[in-house]
Amino acid sequence: MELSGKVAIITGVSKGIGRATADALLAKGAVVAGWGRSAPEGLTHERFQFFECDIRDETSVQEACMNTRRELGAEIHVLVNNAGIGNFGPVDGFSSEDWHAMFDTNVHGLFYCTKAVLPYMKQQHEGHIVNVGSLAGTAGTANLAGYCATKYAVRGFSDALFKEVRPDGVRVTCIMPGSVETNFNGANPGEEPNPHMMQPEDIAAAIVHALEAPFSVMISEVQMRPTQPK
């Protein structure tokens, strides 16, 4: 897809992979709608607009979609389902509230956003949905049972979705990173980058690569790992 002039929605845009992806898509000439509970600090660009949205609330998602189309045009070409949270701990000591919070964001929110934009992508016979999963969706890890469960769900959803919508000209990509240096892992922006972890910009570059593939090509899954983890 040629990204210049295309409308791209990114969830969880305030920091980390979401913010890096917004920067990368803006650099490619895209018009970016950032959905989130808080706006990214210092991101002022003529082709960027922030829409307050709690993806855990389907009504909030529907309103954000309506507002995006009103402000940026009726067509939506890209959706990057990036928003996600991780709560860790042993299953028998895990709070049900933390469990539900992860599924509400990582799984249900992703479904609400996808459901909202899909009819427009089908009408256009053009669209690309990128779901940010995790290598935690490929192998279980002790004390990450809940998080792994949500990311297995993201991978399964992505795999089923691409088979469902490919006849409509809509592509689906599941990006599954390993260790990324973001606030998610407790890292503070501004510190020296950790050479043993990937950076948010690395994931954003992979997303752009998948989006820019020729229409005849769908990169359905991408697994990403640090070359020399510590």
Side-chain angles (χ1 to χ4, degrees), residues 65-84:
C65 186
M66 181 178 64
N67 293 337
T68 299
R69 296 181 70 232
R70 185 185 67 240
E71 296 291 327
L72 303 180
E75 293 194 344
I76 296 170
H77 306 97
V78 174
L79 169 65
V80 180
N81 280 312
N82 163 71

Side-chain angles (χ1 to χ4, degrees), residues 1 11 13 21 45 72 85 91 112 141 147 149 155 171 186 207:
M1 182 190 294
T11 69
V13 74
T21 302
H45 195 288
L72 303 180
I85 59 171
V91 169
Y112 297 149
T141 302
Y147 182 70
R155 189 184 190 189
R171 299 189 291 184
I207 290 172

Side-chain angles (χ1 to χ4, degrees), residues 18-215:
R19 171 62 188 267
T21 302
D23 290 336
L25 290 180
L26 287 169
K28 290 288 184 176
V31 178
V32 177
W35 290 8
R37 288 180 287 174
S38 56
E41 287 184 20
L43 179 50
T44 54
H45 195 288
E46 62 183 3
R47 283 184 278 103
F48 175 79
Q49 191 160 339
F50 176 73
F51 297 88
E52 190 170 334
C53 176
D54 183 350
I55 66 163
R56 300 171 299 179
D57 178 350
E58 187 169 13
T59 300
S60 179
V61 168
Q62 291 168 343
E63 288 176 355
C65 186
M66 181 178 64
N67 293 337
T68 299
R69 296 181 70 232
R70 185 185 67 240
E71 296 291 327
L72 303 180
E75 293 194 344
I76 296 170
H77 306 97
V78 174
L79 169 65
V80 180
N81 280 312
N82 163 71
I85 59 171
N87 298 315
F88 309 141
V91 169
D92 56 355
F94 207 79
S95 85
S96 297
E97 289 77 11
D98 284 349
W99 178 275
H100 285 284
M102 280 194 296
F103 271 89
D104 285 343
T105 302
N106 301 2
V107 182
H108 303 151
L110 179 144
F111 164 68
Y112 297 149
C113 294
T114 302
K115 182 183 174 186
V117 306
L118 206 46
Y120 309 113
M121 292 184 173
K122 284 182 174 180
Q123 286 171 15
Q124 298 155 197
H125 293 284
E126 180 188 30
H128 200 142
I129 296 169
V130 178
N131 296 326
V132 179
S134 169
L135 290 182
T138 66
T141 302
N143 296 315
L144 267 70
Y147 182 70
C148 289
T150 66
K151 293 303 185 178
Y152 266 83
V154 169
R155 189 184 190 189
F157 178 78
S158 302
D159 192 42
L161 182 66
F162 95 71
K163 293 164 184 169
E164 182 177 321
V165 300
R166 68 200 300 195
D168 299 293
V170 180
R171 299 189 291 184
V172 179
T173 301
C174 187
I175 301 270
M176 294 180 283
S179 302
V180 182
E181 191 168 30
T182 66
N183 292 82
F184 189 92
N185 289 322
N188 294 315
E191 292 179 351
E192 283 295 309
N194 182 342
H196 302 287
M197 298 177 75
M198 294 180 291
Q199 301 300 310
E201 293 75 18
D202 300 326
I203 314 307
I207 290 172
V208 169
H209 173 70
L211 292 173
E212 288 188 327
F215 180 74

